[in-house]
Amino acid sequence: MSNFTKGAAWVRGEIVPVSEATIAVNDWGVTHSDCVYDVCGVNDGAFFRLQDHIDRFHASMGSLQMSIEQTPEEVRAILHAIVAKSGLRSSYAAMVTSRGVPMIPGSRDPRDCGNHFFAWCVPYIYVFKPEVAARGSRLHVPEHIHRIPQDSVDLTAKNYHWGDMTRGLLVALEKGFDSVALTDHAGNLTEGPGFNVFAVIDGKLVTPDGGVLMGITRQTVIEIAGEMNMVVEQRPLPLEEFYEADEVFTATTGGGVSPVTKVNDRVFSNGAPGPIALEFGETYRAWLERPELRDEVTYS
Ligand SMILES: *Cc1c(COP(=O)(O)O)cnc(C)c1O
């Protein structure tokens, strides 16, 4: 039983410890990174905005022409079951659909693959570790690595196509930064590996609207701004303008809102987390407690 404390997975109809969950080596999910997925956070024993994650997951599958047997209600029940089994009150819960193995051996036709669903949960994952978030993260924007264009890969479908991000991360980490954010080929900022980006410019929030995943944390930040009567502009954000912002912060399920204190050579708010980023971080944490956004897990 205690072997579930590191996480639980649902594969092929069974719940197993996450370390025992497997998929086939010739699954297109492995050979072509051909998966769509979503990740919902569990905070203090409840999923946050679970329905929004399940809806986006099904939209992502639609975009990549994948389909599964499970209904959205069944996906929800499976996620509840694995988190309950793990006993984790704070968890990173992933739902995944893989293209699958060709049912006609050797077929190169994606439509011949048996799309299949699996899910897993592990202890909560922070994109920026709490100590990094507390001091403010430092992001690298590489000059020569760009986010893949939207007409090559649908970036609004959450997917495993991470070649650009991994390449950027390797450069950023080598240079001593905490993470990376990529520009598109026109020089506009997009996003980083698993997070959206916001800039505070002239008292308004600006966040890119193209070449990015429409993050649910991003959406929550926009809704929080609405309650604060703060204007939000969703539009292209040129890197030069981004450098001139008063503050910068990131938004992700993996840790909420985190301040950024440095982008390449540019230092923001004297190298300390900015007041607006801190306010959004605190408000986001308060929203995690809003009953209407929570789906309580029933642990046995
Ligand atoms: C998951 C993800 C995000 C953040 O989305 P949330 O729904 O807020 O977790 C941003 N960008 C990419 C590329 C992602 O995969």
Side-chain angles (χ1 to χ4, degrees):
M1 64 152 258
S2 62
N3 54 356
F4 282 102
T5 57
K6 291 201 169 72
W10 184 99
V11 275
R12 296 176 286 272
E14 279 180 50
I15 297 179
V16 296
V18 70
S19 60
E20 291 172 22
T22 59
I23 72 168
V25 292
N26 59 339
D27 190 306
W28 281 29
V30 177
T31 58
H32 304 317
S33 300
D34 196 353
C35 289
V36 299
Y37 75 117
D38 219 289
V39 173
C40 188
V42 175
N43 307 281
D44 192 19
F47 289 95
F48 184 62
R49 303 192 79 152
L50 179 57
Q51 194 59 46
D52 293 331
H53 287 276
I54 290 174
D55 289 348
R56 184 174 66 182
F57 179 54
H58 282 79
S60 298
M61 278 192 270
S63 163
L64 271 71
Q65 297 185 50
M66 291 183 182
S67 61
I68 55 174
E69 292 165 21
Q70 289 76 18
T71 62
E73 292 68 35
E74 286 167 329
V75 168
R76 168 189 290 271
I78 289 167
L79 289 166
H80 271 273
I82 58 174
V83 173
K85 183 81 183 178
S86 74
L88 293 168
R89 297 190 57 83
S90 177
S91 175
Y92 172 107
M95 57 204 101
V96 189
T97 295
S98 181
R99 185 74 63 188
V101 174
M103 290 177 288
I104 300 165
S107 171
R108 309 288 291 174
D109 184 339
R111 296 166 301 179
D112 290 339
C113 293
N115 305 163
H116 63 108
F117 171 76
F118 53 95
W120 51 278
C121 68
V122 292
Y124 193 82
I125 294 176
Y126 290 91
V127 170
F128 297 101
K129 295 208 161 56
E131 58 271 24
V132 170
R135 67 148 156 80
S137 66
R138 299 163 190 151
L139 300 182
H140 181 47
V141 181
E143 207 176 330
H144 300 296
I145 302 169
H146 298 107
R147 188 79 172 116
I148 193 165
Q150 172 68 28
D151 60 1
S152 298
V153 169
D154 182 0
L155 299 164
T156 67
K158 199 168 170 81
N159 70 82
Y160 277 2
H161 196 290
W162 263 48
D164 49 358
M165 292 296 187
T166 301
R167 202 168 156 213
L169 263 175
L170 288 169
V171 171
L173 297 174
E174 185 66 30
K175 288 178 182 285
F177 289 90
D178 300 307
S179 192
V180 71
L182 298 179
T183 50
D184 62 18
H185 288 84
N188 296 309
L189 194 76
T190 64
E191 61 185 337
F195 58 86
N196 292 109
V197 176
F198 284 84
V200 180
I201 299 172
D202 297 332
K204 297 177 202 156
L205 283 188
V206 182
T207 193
D209 63 345
V212 300
L213 181 81
M214 293 299 162
I216 287 163
T217 317
R218 176 186 183 277
Q219 180 58 31
T220 305
V221 167
I222 291 169
E223 291 171 16
I224 291 172
E227 284 199 355
M228 291 178 177
N229 289 319
M230 193 169 178
V231 175
V232 183
E233 294 178 358
Q234 302 182 54
R235 59 164 171 87
L237 178 54
L239 183 59
E240 301 77 51
E241 188 186 356
F242 184 61
Y243 280 141
E244 295 308 315
D246 299 317
E247 282 185 42
V248 171
F249 60 84
T250 56
T252 169
T253 292
V257 174
S258 306
V260 176
T261 50
K262 194 172 181 232
V263 175
N264 291 346
D265 290 333
R266 163 79 162 111
V267 174
F268 293 89
S269 44
N270 295 318
I276 293 173
L278 289 175
E279 188 178 358
F280 273 88
E282 205 173 299
T283 309
Y284 180 80
R285 280 190 294 278
W287 276 46
L288 292 178
E289 305 299 324
R290 288 197 172 184
E292 70 276 18
L293 299 177
R294 286 166 64 87
D295 249 69
E296 303 286 339
V297 177
T298 308
Y299 298 90
S300 51

